[in-house]
Amino acid sequence: MGRRAKNKQDVPLPLEQERATGKVTKVLHDRLRHEKIQTRKRTANVGKTAPGKRAAETKAATSKRKRDEEAAKPKPKPKAKKTKVVEPESEEEEEEEEEEAESVVLLEGAPDDGWDNAPMASDSEDDGASMSEFDSDDDDDERQEPIALLQSDDEDSDSETGGMESYDEFDTADEDGEPVTFRDMEKRSRLLEAQQKAEEELAELEQLAAEEAAEGERALFTLPSAEQIEAEKEAPLDLQQVQLRIQEVIRVLNNFADLRDPERSREDYMTQLKRDMCFYYGYNEYLMDKMLQIFPVSEAVEFFEANETARPVTIRTNTLKTRRRDLAQALINRGVNLDPIGKWTKVGLTIFDSPVPVGATPEYMAGHYMIQAASSFLPVMALGPQENEKVLDMSAAPGGKTTYCSAMMKNTGLVVANDANKEREKALVANIHRLGISNTLVCNYDGREFPRVMGGFDRVLLDSPCSGTGVISKDASVKINKSQDDFTMLTHLQKELILSAIDSVNADSPTGGFLVYSTCSVTVDENEAIVNYALGKRPNVKLVDTGLDFGRPGFTSFRGHTFNSSLSLTRRFYPHAHNMDGFFVAKLQKTSNKITTTDDQVIVPTGSGARIKHKKRRN
């Protein structure tokens, strides 16, 4: 019969007897800490132990005890975890076994799979091995090594593990003194998880109840009367009161059927909302009305709030002189706190904090980067200029997009940088020299004069003049200085510029034939309406995918107006949604250089200009 491990729940010896017999195992020390509890369990289960199993264990314990007394006197060896059962050799041993059997009780339910009866690390399957192997000096010295991590402070310093690999080494006790073993750890964990889940559900129910109670109290909101509105003109409310009223009106509009005042229409609530938001955010009524036409009411508030916060400072790495990693390391060494803008660009960095002005570092002076809004990266990325191409930037100042084109072209080919404002061209020329651009030609023409000045470009970039409703965080004057006349004038100019840009593109280019139209505005009048107009006037162009994998698709219909379905390929960017300036990007491809307009004109753009031929009508 092979050696077997002693059950961890054996009856512990009294403290005096244990100390008399020498060092005790970690398992016995754990049992001493809960002697009272184990005694109660032993009493309850004493009659349930299997007789055959108890007899075998009794014999093993008696043999072990006798060997300990003979091996080391007066200090006996500690009891081994496992013993090999041997038959008694004399009547004295039988009597000792019977006496020992009275004190050894195995609790019923101990599993046979070794979970509680963990094996000794030094056990061997060799039946011929004798117990003297475990009593040798070498083995004893090895077992005398204390395991500090597994011993408690109140345990005897001479206790040993005996090489046992047992789950009991990790047993703990709860606050009530009850032992906590691996057997009930999982059960306790499930109970704790269930309790935590119940608490979370209760908290959610309490929150919902509080919200419902608050809804019941707030459902009595009514719009101010005409007399109150007149009184507020004389003595306006403070901003906090106006903000609370804005929130109340939005709440009613979002659930108008249940929360409305039966005597008031939706138009009444919208009128009050516009009045309060104009006062709170500082917009004129015309522009406020335009914004509320674009966004739902709740999102409009987010848009207005985002415009009150400045956008992060961003820079673009000049890949003609350095790499983004090297530039970032150099700026970090100067104490600049920065991070990449996002996965969509490999050259952009966001500057969070800098001990020195970002436009005054040696790296900036050396032309290693350009201070440029993240949104202005987008039209150049959509255009995608290639090496050795001929590219036109119709509105180039101050040079961020122009120099980005040159960097993407690796200073090859030709970039024509045009701007109608001669004063703004000073900054354009300065940035071209600072960044080491050598493939750019700067000119000062009205964009509407192209392609008579120069045509036949592989790619054209038109960042059109606009109202600037996407960059209000940079220029707050836009809130009050834009009127209907301004939009009428701007949209007329944008229509002329986009037609000139289309005519300047060479459809026969082996690598190009593309046009990108962009604005820093969010209004439909300056974006989708302009592109839709160009598609109608120039049937030889079509919209293509911008290649930008984020941003919202453009409108295909707006307030009763239906646009070309391909306008969904355009992209819109908002400050509250993308943490960048409001922007619009559309990419068109020219399919033919010859077109016939509705008034029987044939336009043939060439490399030196455009010729307009009138068809001769037959009588």
Side-chain angles (χ1 to χ4, degrees):
M1 180 177 180
R3 296 186 303 276
R4 79 184 276 161
K6 186 177 179 182
N7 191 294
K8 71 172 184 178
Q9 295 181 351
D10 283 352
V11 179
L13 296 176
L15 182 60
E16 294 79 5
Q17 184 175 354
E18 284 189 308
R19 290 180 177 176
T21 57
K23 301 177 182 179
V24 293
T25 65
K26 177 70 169 57
V27 178
L28 293 178
H29 275 290
D30 291 338
R31 302 284 77 76
L32 284 174
R33 295 175 58 190
H34 313 293
E35 179 177 357
K36 183 178 178 179
I37 300 167
Q38 295 297 331
T39 303
R40 185 167 61 252
K41 293 182 179 179
R42 181 178 70 249
T43 303
N45 297 274
V46 68
K48 301 178 182 180
T49 307
K53 187 176 182 179
R54 177 166 33 179
E57 291 295 334
T58 300
K59 293 179 182 180
T62 303
S63 301
K64 165 69 173 59
R65 181 178 177 184
K66 183 174 181 180
R67 281 193 298 273
D68 289 346
E69 292 176 355
E70 294 177 354
K73 294 182 178 180
K75 183 177 180 180
K77 290 287 182 178
K79 296 168 66 177
K81 302 291 187 303
K82 292 186 177 181
T83 58
K84 181 177 181 180
V85 179
V86 296
E87 297 296 331
E89 299 177 356
S90 64
E91 295 181 356
E92 296 179 358
E93 290 185 1
E94 293 180 356
E95 295 176 357
E96 292 178 355
E97 291 173 359
E98 294 176 357
E99 295 176 357
E100 185 69 12
E102 297 178 358
S103 62
V104 178
V105 179
L106 297 177
L107 297 181
E108 183 186 32
D112 295 331
D113 56 2
W115 192 90
D116 281 335
N117 298 318
M120 296 284 291
S122 57
D123 281 351
S124 173
E125 297 298 331
D126 186 4
D127 292 340
S130 64
M131 293 302 297
S132 61
E133 296 175 358
F134 299 95
D135 294 333
S136 64
D137 294 338
D138 294 339
D139 293 342
D140 186 70
D141 293 341
E142 181 178 356
R143 291 196 302 273
Q144 298 301 324
E145 291 294 331
I147 302 179
L149 295 177
L150 302 179
Q151 292 179 344
S152 60
D153 295 338
D154 59 345
E155 291 179 346
D156 194 328
S157 60
D158 292 335
S159 63
E160 62 182 357
T161 63
M164 173 175 280
E165 295 178 356
S166 172
Y167 292 102
D168 291 329
E169 296 175 351
F170 303 96
D171 287 351
T172 58
D174 59 11
E175 296 180 355
D176 298 331
E178 293 289 341
V180 181
T181 63
F182 276 95
R183 170 174 288 179
D184 56 2
M185 274 186 178
E186 184 177 358
K187 181 179 179 181
R188 290 171 180 262
S189 177
R190 288 196 299 268
L191 291 175
L192 290 175
E193 291 177 356
Q195 182 180 1
Q196 182 179 3
K197 184 178 180 180
E199 292 177 354
E200 292 176 354
E201 293 177 353
L202 180 61
E204 291 179 359
L205 292 176
E206 291 177 352
Q207 183 178 358
L208 290 175
E211 291 177 355
E212 290 177 357
E215 285 291 331
E217 295 177 358
R218 296 167 56 188
L220 301 176
F221 170 76
T222 57
L223 291 174
S225 62
E227 292 77 10
Q228 291 174 331
I229 293 174
E230 291 297 328
E232 289 178 5
K233 293 180 180 179
E234 300 296 332
L237 300 176
D238 59 27
L239 292 178
Q240 186 175 4
Q241 292 176 314
V242 174
Q243 183 186 27
L244 291 175
R245 190 160 66 186
I246 290 172
Q247 295 175 355
E248 292 293 337
V249 174
I250 292 174
R251 184 177 66 89
V252 173
L253 291 173
N254 289 336
N255 191 9
F256 191 69
D258 297 332
L259 303 179
R260 62 170 294 191
D261 184 348
E263 299 180 357
R264 295 297 187 103
S265 65
R266 190 178 189 89
E267 185 63 27
D268 295 334
Y269 284 93
M270 288 299 300
T271 301
Q272 183 62 45
L273 179 63
K274 292 175 185 178
R275 186 183 301 113
D276 288 340
M277 294 180 78
C278 286
F279 174 76
Y280 187 78
Y281 293 107
Y283 288 77
N284 60 36
E285 293 184 5
Y286 176 77
L287 192 58
M288 176 61 65
D289 187 63
K290 248 184 171 2
M291 296 299 104
L292 290 177
Q293 291 174 3
I294 298 173
F295 302 105
V297 176
S298 299
E299 188 176 4
V301 174
E302 297 178 6
F303 174 77
F304 296 140
E305 290 290 345
N307 287 336
E308 301 301 312
T309 305
R311 302 275 76 75
V313 177
T314 55
I315 61 175
R316 176 182 57 81
T317 306
N318 180 18
T319 55
L320 295 176
K321 291 190 174 183
T322 186
R323 295 180 298 178
R324 184 172 69 169
R325 180 179 59 184
D326 298 335
L327 173 62
Q329 187 61 54
L331 294 177
I332 289 172
N333 293 339
R334 297 189 183 279
V336 179
N337 184 13
L338 52 81
D339 214 11
I341 291 179
K343 295 181 179 180
W344 56 271
T345 176
K346 297 181 180 180
V347 295
L349 292 170
T350 300
I351 306 297
F352 299 106
D353 184 35
S354 176
V356 295
V358 182
T361 64
E363 289 77 15
Y364 177 82
M365 299 299 182
H368 289 183
Y369 63 88
M370 176 82 175
I371 302 175
Q372 187 173 352
S375 57
S376 67
F377 293 14
L378 303 174
V380 181
M381 294 173 62
L383 185 66
Q386 307 295 317
E387 296 182 34
N388 300 310
E389 285 187 337
K390 184 180 177 183
V391 178
L392 169 65
D393 188 353
M394 292 188 71
S395 184
K401 291 179 283 295
T402 299
T403 55
Y404 194 5
C405 288
S406 297
M408 294 181 71
M409 296 168 65
K410 299 181 181 178
N411 256 344
T412 62
L414 173 66
V415 176
V416 177
N418 176 74
D419 199 274
N421 191 330
K422 186 171 291 189
E423 291 298 321
R424 285 169 54 87
E425 283 192 339
K426 295 179 181 178
L428 171 62
V429 173
N431 285 320
I432 288 174
H433 286 296
R434 183 175 60 85
L435 297 175
I437 306 300
S438 60
N439 67 338
T440 301
L441 181 152
V442 179
C443 59
N444 175 227
Y445 289 99
D446 188 328
R448 292 171 290 185
E449 297 181 11
F450 288 86
R452 288 190 294 271
V453 176
M454 186 182 298
F457 292 96
D458 297 307
R459 299 173 195 260
V460 174
L461 173 61
L462 173 58
D463 186 28
S464 179
C466 63
S467 62
T469 53
V471 292
I472 294 176
S473 60
K474 296 179 180 178
D475 185 9
S477 65
V478 175
K479 296 179 180 180
I480 57 175
N481 64 7
K482 296 302 177 184
S483 63
Q484 184 175 1
D485 294 338
D486 295 319
F487 279 92
T488 302
M489 179 190 66
L490 285 169
T491 54
H492 181 72
L493 173 63
Q494 290 161 352
K495 291 176 181 178
E496 292 181 318
L497 288 173
I498 193 171
L499 294 180
S500 297
I502 293 173
D503 295 340
S504 300
V505 176
N506 180 17
D508 296 330
S509 169
T511 58
F514 295 100
L515 161 70
V516 167
Y517 173 83
S518 64
T519 68
C520 55
S521 174
V522 297
T523 63
V524 178
D525 301 359
E526 303 174 87
N527 297 320
E528 286 89 350
I530 300 299
V531 176
N532 189 69
Y533 169 82
L535 293 175
K537 288 291 184 179
R538 295 291 186 269
N540 60 332
V541 295
K542 64 178 181 179
L543 278 168
V544 295
D545 186 49
T546 60
L548 304 174
D549 56 1
F550 69 109
R552 297 184 185 179
F555 291 98
T556 55
S557 62
F558 182 74
R559 296 183 65 83
H561 298 282
T562 302
F563 303 137
N564 192 302
S565 60
S566 61
L567 277 164
S568 60
L569 296 173
T570 63
R571 285 291 175 266
R572 283 178 158 266
F573 303 91
Y574 298 122
H576 64 281
H578 307 101
N579 197 24
M580 62 175 62
D581 295 331
F583 227 76
F584 174 83
V585 179
K587 185 175 184 180
L588 301 96
Q589 183 178 17
K590 192 172 181 180
T591 58
S592 173
N593 287 327
K594 296 181 180 181
I595 60 172
T596 302
T597 62
T598 57
D599 55 354
D600 294 333
Q601 292 182 352
V602 177
I603 301 178
V604 185
T606 64
S608 58
R611 301 191 309 272
I612 299 178
K613 296 183 179 180
H614 293 271
K615 282 187 176 181
K616 294 182 179 180
R617 295 183 180 180
R618 295 181 180 178
N619 296 328

